[in-house]
Structures are given as C-alpha cells and as structure tokens.
Amino acid sequence: MGQCLQLSAAVCRIGVYSCFRAFCCKGPPSPRTEYDVVCVGLTGSGKSSLLTQLCSESTDSIIPTTGFSIKAVPFQNAILNVKELGGADNIRKYWSRYYQGSQGVVFVLDSASSEDDLETARNELHSALQHPQLCTLPILILANHQDKPAARSLQEIKKYFELEPLARGQRWILQPCSVENMDAVKEGFNQFIHLLEEIDQEHIPGRI
C-alpha cells in the first residue's frame, strides 16, 4: 500500500510540474534550448550529489531520492530538465513509468562499488537501454567515484558492462568523474548536449 501511495504521489507531482511548465511560465522564452532528460542509477551512485553540484547548490543536506526529483541544470548552450529517479530496490521497478517524453538518458554508476552492486547496475543499464522509449536516445554514462582507490578503469567498465555491443547504433558517452572533479562532469554533459543538438539538427524539416 505504501508503494502505491508513493507512486500515486509521484504521478501527481509530474502532473503539477507539467502544468506549471505549460501555463505558469509567462516570462520570455529561454534563449537556450531545453531538453528533457531522465537520470537513473542505483542508490549511492552519486546522482543527487552530481546534479546538486552542477546547480551550484549546497550538498550538506542531500538524502537518497525517494520517488523522483526534477532539476533544471543550466549549461552555456542548453538547459537540461533532469528527472532523477530514485535507485532503491523498491523504486527501480517503476523506472519505466517515467521514461515517456525523455530526449536523453543519464546513467550514473559507482565505479568503486561491490561486485554485487556492479552486477545490479549492469542489469539495470541493460534493461534501460533495451526499453522501447529509451533504446534510440543518446546516453551519458557517468563512471562516478573515480577518486576512490577501488574505482574500476574505463576499460574495465566498458568491458564489464558490454557497452559496445549493447549500445551499438546508439549515441553514447562513457565519462569518468567524481564530485571532486566537476570539470570532468561538465565535460561529459557538454558532450552529451552536443549529441542532443545533433539529433535536433537531423530532425529539421528538409535537412538531408
């Protein structure tokens, strides 16, 4: 019953957010293109910390996301409306209910996690990338916690997650990062935005 109430509340929040964006934002349009992005990853991967840092907000009171949260993350050439989904066991099974309308995917993994958690992360990534609403979208994979001694290398992650065969035909980026190196995080997102812009250009009427 508790999970149903939590899910119902989350659906209501999406409705309120959609109405707010559609009817309450009366100001002039943003000169920067906006993209709707879904951000997923296991609890403890660092999703909230990275997004909070990108928004120049305090990280002192961060707690694990229950349900979802939405942040408008500003960059020089675009604004990403990031819908971050909680990564707990009882929430992950509902992820697919929030994929609709996404233009890109951000997957955050803890590159220093246990073998069990890494396997779970791999399974969740595979499931997400094979979902009909995400399988054609560009994806940014952030290999977080690279500052920890147990962090796997990019080559190890690429091989373990089987990224090349999994994402064949998809635009994807694997970026090492940590909250101690936000320049790397921003570099990953800038490359990601470039992929989103490429898709926009391809969809311009009359463009070959």
mmCIF file of all heavy atoms in Angstrom, residues 35 54 73-78 80 140 142 173 175 182-198:
data_model
loop_
_atom_site.group_PDB
_atom_site.id
_atom_site.type_symbol
_atom_site.label_atom_id
_atom_site.label_comp_id
_atom_site.label_asym_id
_atom_site.label_seq_id
_atom_site.Cartn_x
_atom_site.Cartn_y
_atom_site.Cartn_z
ATOM 1 N N TYR A 35 16.164 20.555 -22.953
ATOM 2 C CA TYR A 35 15.997 19.135 -23.231
ATOM 3 C C TYR A 35 15.521 18.435 -21.968
ATOM 4 O O TYR A 35 15.985 18.739 -20.861
ATOM 5 C CB TYR A 35 17.322 18.509 -23.686
ATOM 6 C CG TYR A 35 17.866 19.071 -24.970
ATOM 7 C CD1 TYR A 35 18.888 20.024 -24.959
ATOM 8 C CD2 TYR A 35 17.374 18.654 -26.210
ATOM 9 C CE1 TYR A 35 19.405 20.541 -26.139
ATOM 10 C CE2 TYR A 35 17.877 19.167 -27.394
ATOM 11 C CZ TYR A 35 18.895 20.110 -27.351
ATOM 12 O OH TYR A 35 19.398 20.628 -28.531
ATOM 13 N N LEU A 54 26.170 20.610 -9.928
ATOM 14 C CA LEU A 54 26.014 21.281 -11.223
ATOM 15 C C LEU A 54 25.110 22.506 -11.115
ATOM 16 O O LEU A 54 25.273 23.466 -11.877
ATOM 17 C CB LEU A 54 25.440 20.301 -12.257
ATOM 18 C CG LEU A 54 26.407 19.255 -12.811
ATOM 19 C CD1 LEU A 54 25.645 18.234 -13.655
ATOM 20 C CD2 LEU A 54 27.519 19.899 -13.637
ATOM 21 N N VAL A 73 19.062 22.081 -14.968
ATOM 22 C CA VAL A 73 20.512 22.221 -14.860
ATOM 23 C C VAL A 73 21.008 23.091 -16.019
ATOM 24 O O VAL A 73 20.896 22.707 -17.183
ATOM 25 C CB VAL A 73 21.213 20.847 -14.895
ATOM 26 C CG1 VAL A 73 22.710 21.010 -14.651
ATOM 27 C CG2 VAL A 73 20.606 19.913 -13.846
ATOM 28 N N PRO A 74 21.552 24.274 -15.713
ATOM 29 C CA PRO A 74 21.955 25.200 -16.779
ATOM 30 C C PRO A 74 23.368 24.931 -17.295
ATOM 31 O O PRO A 74 24.290 24.670 -16.525
ATOM 32 C CB PRO A 74 21.895 26.565 -16.078
ATOM 33 C CG PRO A 74 22.236 26.253 -14.647
ATOM 34 C CD PRO A 74 21.707 24.866 -14.364
ATOM 35 N N PHE A 75 23.500 24.997 -18.600
ATOM 36 C CA PHE A 75 24.801 24.951 -19.253
ATOM 37 C C PHE A 75 24.880 26.127 -20.215
ATOM 38 O O PHE A 75 23.894 26.827 -20.436
ATOM 39 C CB PHE A 75 24.994 23.628 -19.996
ATOM 40 C CG PHE A 75 25.085 22.436 -19.091
ATOM 41 C CD1 PHE A 75 23.940 21.736 -18.730
ATOM 42 C CD2 PHE A 75 26.308 22.015 -18.581
ATOM 43 C CE1 PHE A 75 24.009 20.651 -17.874
ATOM 44 C CE2 PHE A 75 26.384 20.922 -17.731
ATOM 45 C CZ PHE A 75 25.237 20.240 -17.376
ATOM 46 N N GLN A 76 26.040 26.338 -20.810
ATOM 47 C CA GLN A 76 26.228 27.524 -21.642
ATOM 48 C C GLN A 76 25.269 27.551 -22.827
ATOM 49 O O GLN A 76 24.728 28.613 -23.154
ATOM 50 C CB GLN A 76 27.672 27.581 -22.150
ATOM 51 C CG GLN A 76 27.976 28.824 -22.976
ATOM 52 C CD GLN A 76 29.444 28.924 -23.361
ATOM 53 O OE1 GLN A 76 30.252 28.081 -22.996
ATOM 54 N NE2 GLN A 76 29.791 29.966 -24.105
ATOM 55 N N ASN A 77 25.059 26.397 -23.460
ATOM 56 C CA ASN A 77 24.261 26.375 -24.686
ATOM 57 C C ASN A 77 22.904 25.706 -24.531
ATOM 58 O O ASN A 77 22.146 25.632 -25.503
ATOM 59 C CB ASN A 77 25.036 25.665 -25.794
ATOM 60 C CG ASN A 77 26.329 26.372 -26.133
ATOM 61 O OD1 ASN A 77 26.387 27.606 -26.132
ATOM 62 N ND2 ASN A 77 27.377 25.602 -26.397
ATOM 63 N N ALA A 78 22.592 25.209 -23.354
ATOM 64 C CA ALA A 78 21.332 24.486 -23.185
ATOM 65 C C ALA A 78 20.966 24.399 -21.710
ATOM 66 O O ALA A 78 21.798 24.632 -20.826
ATOM 67 C CB ALA A 78 21.444 23.082 -23.777
ATOM 68 N N LEU A 80 19.173 21.533 -19.232
ATOM 69 C CA LEU A 80 18.692 20.164 -19.125
ATOM 70 C C LEU A 80 17.686 20.074 -17.983
ATOM 71 O O LEU A 80 18.014 20.349 -16.831
ATOM 72 C CB LEU A 80 19.844 19.190 -18.875
ATOM 73 C CG LEU A 80 20.935 19.109 -19.938
ATOM 74 C CD1 LEU A 80 21.939 18.006 -19.587
ATOM 75 C CD2 LEU A 80 20.343 18.863 -21.322
ATOM 76 N N LEU A 140 24.434 9.295 -21.646
ATOM 77 C CA LEU A 140 25.660 9.660 -20.951
ATOM 78 C C LEU A 140 25.808 8.731 -19.753
ATOM 79 O O LEU A 140 24.938 8.693 -18.880
ATOM 80 C CB LEU A 140 25.602 11.113 -20.484
ATOM 81 C CG LEU A 140 26.704 11.569 -19.516
ATOM 82 C CD1 LEU A 140 28.080 11.458 -20.148
ATOM 83 C CD2 LEU A 140 26.429 12.996 -19.032
ATOM 84 N N LEU A 142 27.989 8.078 -16.555
ATOM 85 C CA LEU A 142 28.968 8.700 -15.674
ATOM 86 C C LEU A 142 29.538 7.635 -14.737
ATOM 87 O O LEU A 142 28.823 7.097 -13.882
ATOM 88 C CB LEU A 142 28.322 9.823 -14.868
ATOM 89 C CG LEU A 142 27.842 11.045 -15.670
ATOM 90 C CD1 LEU A 142 27.083 12.013 -14.765
ATOM 91 C CD2 LEU A 142 29.011 11.749 -16.345
ATOM 92 N N ILE A 173 28.189 8.083 -24.458
ATOM 93 C CA ILE A 173 29.429 8.623 -23.908
ATOM 94 C C ILE A 173 29.670 7.951 -22.565
ATOM 95 O O ILE A 173 28.752 7.848 -21.738
ATOM 96 C CB ILE A 173 29.325 10.146 -23.696
ATOM 97 C CG1 ILE A 173 29.111 10.875 -25.032
ATOM 98 C CG2 ILE A 173 30.574 10.687 -22.995
ATOM 99 C CD1 ILE A 173 28.563 12.274 -24.853
ATOM 100 N N GLN A 175 31.959 8.605 -19.342
ATOM 101 C CA GLN A 175 32.785 9.668 -18.777
ATOM 102 C C GLN A 175 33.195 9.346 -17.344
ATOM 103 O O GLN A 175 32.348 9.134 -16.479
ATOM 104 C CB GLN A 175 32.006 10.991 -18.794
ATOM 105 C CG GLN A 175 32.730 12.168 -18.185
ATOM 106 C CD GLN A 175 33.889 12.657 -19.048
ATOM 107 O OE1 GLN A 175 33.978 12.342 -20.223
ATOM 108 N NE2 GLN A 175 34.784 13.429 -18.450
ATOM 109 N N MET A 182 34.556 18.273 -10.808
ATOM 110 C CA MET A 182 33.344 18.649 -11.516
ATOM 111 C C MET A 182 33.621 19.077 -12.953
ATOM 112 O O MET A 182 32.723 19.084 -13.787
ATOM 113 C CB MET A 182 32.614 19.755 -10.758
ATOM 114 C CG MET A 182 31.972 19.298 -9.446
ATOM 115 S SD MET A 182 30.813 17.908 -9.674
ATOM 116 C CE MET A 182 29.533 18.685 -10.660
ATOM 117 N N ASP A 183 34.863 19.441 -13.255
ATOM 118 C CA ASP A 183 35.189 19.763 -14.643
ATOM 119 C C ASP A 183 34.953 18.552 -15.545
ATOM 120 O O ASP A 183 34.491 18.692 -16.681
ATOM 121 C CB ASP A 183 36.646 20.219 -14.756
ATOM 122 C CG ASP A 183 36.861 21.621 -14.209
ATOM 123 O OD1 ASP A 183 35.860 22.361 -14.067
ATOM 124 O OD2 ASP A 183 38.021 21.981 -13.931
ATOM 125 N N ALA A 184 35.281 17.358 -15.035
ATOM 126 C CA ALA A 184 35.053 16.139 -15.817
ATOM 127 C C ALA A 184 33.564 15.885 -16.000
ATOM 128 O O ALA A 184 33.119 15.448 -17.067
ATOM 129 C CB ALA A 184 35.718 14.947 -15.128
ATOM 130 N N VAL A 185 32.783 16.165 -14.953
ATOM 131 C CA VAL A 185 31.323 16.005 -15.045
ATOM 132 C C VAL A 185 30.763 16.951 -16.110
ATOM 133 O O VAL A 185 29.963 16.552 -16.966
ATOM 134 C CB VAL A 185 30.659 16.290 -13.680
ATOM 135 C CG1 VAL A 185 29.145 16.141 -13.784
ATOM 136 C CG2 VAL A 185 31.210 15.357 -12.613
ATOM 137 N N LYS A 186 31.199 18.197 -16.065
ATOM 138 C CA LYS A 186 30.713 19.191 -17.031
ATOM 139 C C LYS A 186 31.132 18.825 -18.450
ATOM 140 O O LYS A 186 30.366 19.021 -19.399
ATOM 141 C CB LYS A 186 31.231 20.575 -16.659
ATOM 142 C CG LYS A 186 30.643 21.107 -15.356
ATOM 143 C CD LYS A 186 31.273 22.428 -14.949
ATOM 144 C CE LYS A 186 30.732 22.911 -13.621
ATOM 145 N NZ LYS A 186 31.357 24.172 -13.160
ATOM 146 N N GLU A 187 32.338 18.289 -18.602
ATOM 147 C CA GLU A 187 32.798 17.870 -19.921
ATOM 148 C C GLU A 187 31.901 16.765 -20.469
ATOM 149 O O GLU A 187 31.530 16.773 -21.649
ATOM 150 C CB GLU A 187 34.250 17.387 -19.838
ATOM 151 C CG GLU A 187 34.773 16.749 -21.121
ATOM 152 C CD GLU A 187 34.773 17.699 -22.316
ATOM 153 O OE1 GLU A 187 34.801 18.939 -22.104
ATOM 154 O OE2 GLU A 187 34.748 17.202 -23.464
ATOM 155 N N GLY A 188 31.543 15.810 -19.622
ATOM 156 C CA GLY A 188 30.644 14.746 -20.054
ATOM 157 C C GLY A 188 29.296 15.287 -20.480
ATOM 158 O O GLY A 188 28.750 14.893 -21.517
ATOM 159 N N PHE A 189 28.748 16.206 -19.705
ATOM 160 C CA PHE A 189 27.443 16.774 -20.047
ATOM 161 C C PHE A 189 27.524 17.627 -21.305
ATOM 162 O O PHE A 189 26.582 17.658 -22.108
ATOM 163 C CB PHE A 189 26.895 17.587 -18.875
ATOM 164 C CG PHE A 189 26.079 16.780 -17.912
ATOM 165 C CD1 PHE A 189 26.657 16.298 -16.752
ATOM 166 C CD2 PHE A 189 24.749 16.496 -18.164
ATOM 167 C CE1 PHE A 189 25.919 15.546 -15.852
ATOM 168 C CE2 PHE A 189 23.999 15.741 -17.276
ATOM 169 C CZ PHE A 189 24.579 15.262 -16.112
ATOM 170 N N ASN A 190 28.622 18.348 -21.511
ATOM 171 C CA ASN A 190 28.758 19.144 -22.732
ATOM 172 C C ASN A 190 28.794 18.257 -23.975
ATOM 173 O O ASN A 190 28.195 18.598 -25.014
ATOM 174 C CB ASN A 190 30.020 20.004 -22.655
ATOM 175 C CG ASN A 190 29.861 21.203 -21.734
ATOM 176 O OD1 ASN A 190 28.764 21.757 -21.593
ATOM 177 N ND2 ASN A 190 30.941 21.625 -21.095
ATOM 178 N N GLN A 191 29.475 17.125 -23.880
ATOM 179 C CA GLN A 191 29.470 16.172 -24.996
ATOM 180 C C GLN A 191 28.064 15.614 -25.216
ATOM 181 O O GLN A 191 27.623 15.421 -26.354
ATOM 182 C CB GLN A 191 30.440 15.030 -24.716
ATOM 183 C CG GLN A 191 31.900 15.423 -24.698
ATOM 184 C CD GLN A 191 32.793 14.225 -24.442
ATOM 185 O OE1 GLN A 191 32.708 13.210 -25.128
ATOM 186 N NE2 GLN A 191 33.652 14.323 -23.434
ATOM 187 N N PHE A 192 27.375 15.354 -24.125
ATOM 188 C CA PHE A 192 26.006 14.837 -24.173
ATOM 189 C C PHE A 192 25.073 15.841 -24.858
ATOM 190 O O PHE A 192 24.259 15.472 -25.716
ATOM 191 C CB PHE A 192 25.551 14.545 -22.745
ATOM 192 C CG PHE A 192 24.168 13.966 -22.608
ATOM 193 C CD1 PHE A 192 23.814 12.805 -23.269
ATOM 194 C CD2 PHE A 192 23.236 14.578 -21.779
ATOM 195 C CE1 PHE A 192 22.546 12.262 -23.116
ATOM 196 C CE2 PHE A 192 21.980 14.044 -21.619
ATOM 197 C CZ PHE A 192 21.627 12.883 -22.294
ATOM 198 N N ILE A 193 25.196 17.109 -24.496
ATOM 199 C CA ILE A 193 24.376 18.147 -25.114
ATOM 200 C C ILE A 193 24.668 18.226 -26.613
ATOM 201 O O ILE A 193 23.755 18.435 -27.429
ATOM 202 C CB ILE A 193 24.633 19.509 -24.423
ATOM 203 C CG1 ILE A 193 24.029 19.485 -23.020
ATOM 204 C CG2 ILE A 193 24.060 20.663 -25.248
ATOM 205 C CD1 ILE A 193 24.436 20.665 -22.157
ATOM 206 N N HIS A 194 25.926 18.053 -26.987
ATOM 207 C CA HIS A 194 26.283 18.050 -28.411
ATOM 208 C C HIS A 194 25.536 16.941 -29.150
ATOM 209 O O HIS A 194 25.053 17.145 -30.280
ATOM 210 C CB HIS A 194 27.785 17.875 -28.580
ATOM 211 C CG HIS A 194 28.252 17.880 -29.999
ATOM 212 N ND1 HIS A 194 28.194 18.997 -30.806
ATOM 213 C CD2 HIS A 194 28.761 16.882 -30.777
ATOM 214 C CE1 HIS A 194 28.644 18.709 -32.012
ATOM 215 N NE2 HIS A 194 28.996 17.430 -32.015
ATOM 216 N N LEU A 195 25.410 15.765 -28.526
ATOM 217 C CA LEU A 195 24.653 14.671 -29.144
ATOM 218 C C LEU A 195 23.183 15.046 -29.286
ATOM 219 O O LEU A 195 22.556 14.761 -30.317
ATOM 220 C CB LEU A 195 24.781 13.397 -28.307
ATOM 221 C CG LEU A 195 26.167 12.763 -28.183
ATOM 222 C CD1 LEU A 195 26.079 11.464 -27.397
ATOM 223 C CD2 LEU A 195 26.773 12.508 -29.562
ATOM 224 N N LEU A 196 22.627 15.677 -28.261
ATOM 225 C CA LEU A 196 21.226 16.107 -28.321
ATOM 226 C C LEU A 196 21.022 17.134 -29.427
ATOM 227 O O LEU A 196 20.016 17.093 -30.160
ATOM 228 C CB LEU A 196 20.802 16.696 -26.969
ATOM 229 C CG LEU A 196 20.749 15.722 -25.790
ATOM 230 C CD1 LEU A 196 20.617 16.489 -24.470
ATOM 231 C CD2 LEU A 196 19.605 14.737 -25.947
ATOM 232 N N GLU A 197 21.979 18.041 -29.575
ATOM 233 C CA GLU A 197 21.886 19.049 -30.635
ATOM 234 C C GLU A 197 21.996 18.412 -32.008
ATOM 235 O O GLU A 197 21.303 18.841 -32.955
ATOM 236 C CB GLU A 197 22.983 20.092 -30.440
ATOM 237 C CG GLU A 197 22.785 20.978 -29.213
ATOM 238 C CD GLU A 197 23.973 21.870 -28.922
ATOM 239 O OE1 GLU A 197 25.091 21.561 -29.395
ATOM 240 O OE2 GLU A 197 23.793 22.887 -28.223
ATOM 241 N N GLU A 198 22.842 17.408 -32.145
ATOM 242 C CA GLU A 198 22.966 16.703 -33.430
ATOM 243 C C GLU A 198 21.634 16.097 -33.845
ATOM 244 O O GLU A 198 21.235 16.171 -35.021
ATOM 245 C CB GLU A 198 24.015 15.597 -33.329
ATOM 246 C CG GLU A 198 25.449 16.072 -33.402
ATOM 247 C CD GLU A 198 26.427 14.919 -33.416
ATOM 248 O OE1 GLU A 198 26.015 13.780 -33.092
ATOM 249 O OE2 GLU A 198 27.606 15.140 -33.746
#
